[in-house]
Amino acid sequence: MGAPVTFGLEWRLIAELLLLGCFTGFLAGLLGIGGGMLMVPFMTLLLALKGFPHVYIIKMAVATSLATICFTSISSVRAHHGRRAVRWDIVRLLAPGIVIGSLLGAQIAKALPSNVLALLFAAFVSFSATQMFIDKRPKPTRQLPQAGGMLGAGGVIGTLAALVGAGGGFVSVPFMTWCNVSIHNAVATSAALGFPIALAGTVGYIVAGWSLHDIPPGALGFIYLPALLVISVASVMTAPLGVRSAHSLNVKQLQRVFAGLLYALAAYMLYKAFRD
């Protein structure tokens, strides 16, 4: 049996959440990812240590991670927009499909067993880590599809992002670079896309968990509000630092280091999938 669930946050847990928020906010600005790939495994661990019911832990970690991206993406996109790097024409075309896909993804996640959701997360994180590590991209010979194709692409991005609690950058950045969008524009535009993904997914997870009577105290649907507050405050402060670093550091080397961490986190989620 785990420790009893309490609404309050111990100081140690607050410190851990602040550190997690700072790190994920920095990565959101640096790499155009929502930070969820890093946040979900750590949130899963923290909620397990706090004694939450195992049937809800992964879903709450995914949902809370997605909710924090609402705040991180605003901070990140403001910094990117200040550098005129966001392709708002792409945002307008992808956003409708992203909203639909994010709402759908939250309902799919509710219906999936927690171990299946953990397996999906591990698979997508491993794929993203491999892409980062080898830095393999097809030659950007294609152009962006027409409106119908962009709607469909947005739907896929939104559904996958809602399932794994990420901002969608692990799909949207490769998609845009494959379609001849420069990497800096793709990262900036992915940050802007993180907001509709996160907002729609958050609403979806609140609705999905609203009728559950045994949800732990402090939760709104599947969103764990105390963790959302602490992580969001920290991540909003560090996301602009990540944006500045993206334009000055060797991002390729940082991607490979981050890929190594993602492999370790994917292994932990595999462990959770087969253990629970």
Side-chain angles (χ1 to χ4, degrees):
M1 292 293 290
V5 175
T6 60
F7 181 81
L9 289 175
E10 300 85 2
W11 283 109
R12 179 179 175 181
L13 182 58
I14 291 175
E16 292 168 341
L17 292 172
L18 282 172
L19 181 62
L20 180 59
C22 288
F23 195 31
T24 53
F26 177 80
L27 290 174
L30 180 69
L31 301 174
I33 61 173
M37 288 186 290
L38 180 69
M39 196 181 304
V40 170
F42 280 108
M43 278 293 298
T44 299
L45 176 62
L46 291 174
L47 293 179
L49 292 175
K50 195 168 172 61
F52 278 45
H54 74 88
V55 69
Y56 293 143
I57 285 174
I58 294 175
K59 294 178 183 180
M60 291 185 70
V62 168
T64 305
S65 168
L66 204 58
T68 63
I69 297 170
C70 290
F71 302 95
T72 304
S73 64
I74 292 175
S75 178
S76 180
V77 78
R78 285 182 62 188
H80 279 298
H81 179 69
R83 295 176 179 268
R84 299 184 179 181
V86 181
R87 287 281 303 273
W88 290 107
D89 57 323
I90 297 176
V91 174
R92 285 191 292 270
L93 288 171
L94 286 176
I98 277 174
V99 170
I100 295 170
S102 297
L103 290 169
L104 177 63
Q107 302 309 311
I108 295 174
K110 178 186 178 181
L112 288 176
S114 293
N115 61 337
V116 174
L117 195 59
L119 284 172
L120 280 174
F121 182 89
F124 284 117
V125 167
S126 297
F127 171 77
S128 299
T130 301
Q131 292 294 101
M132 285 184 179
F133 188 76
I134 63 179
D135 198 30
K136 182 179 179 181
R137 298 189 185 95
K139 293 182 180 179
T141 55
R142 290 191 290 269
Q143 298 299 314
L144 290 166
Q146 300 298 316
M150 294 290 275
L151 179 68
V156 172
I157 293 168
T159 301
L160 294 176
L163 282 172
V164 300
F170 65 102
V171 180
S172 61
V173 171
F175 167 71
M176 284 184 276
T177 55
W178 293 347
C179 294
N180 215 20
V181 177
S182 73
I183 183 62
H184 282 102
N185 288 130
V187 167
T189 305
S190 173
L193 291 169
F195 182 76
I197 289 173
L199 183 60
T202 298
V203 171
Y205 275 106
I206 291 174
V207 172
W210 189 263
S211 60
L212 299 175
H213 299 295
D214 55 343
I215 206 77
L220 178 63
F222 283 115
I223 314 295
Y224 185 45
L225 295 177
L228 169 63
L229 174 63
V230 176
I231 292 174
S232 296
V233 169
S235 63
V236 165
M237 293 189 296
T238 56
L241 178 61
V243 172
R244 289 195 295 272
S245 299
H247 292 269
S248 59
L249 296 179
N250 187 329
V251 178
K252 185 178 294 186
Q253 290 181 351
L254 290 170
Q255 283 179 328
R256 290 179 177 176
V257 173
F258 184 49
L261 176 60
L262 289 182
Y263 281 129
L265 296 177
Y268 171 73
M269 294 303 285
L270 282 173
Y271 165 76
K272 288 291 294 181
F274 290 108
R275 179 176 179 269
D276 293 337

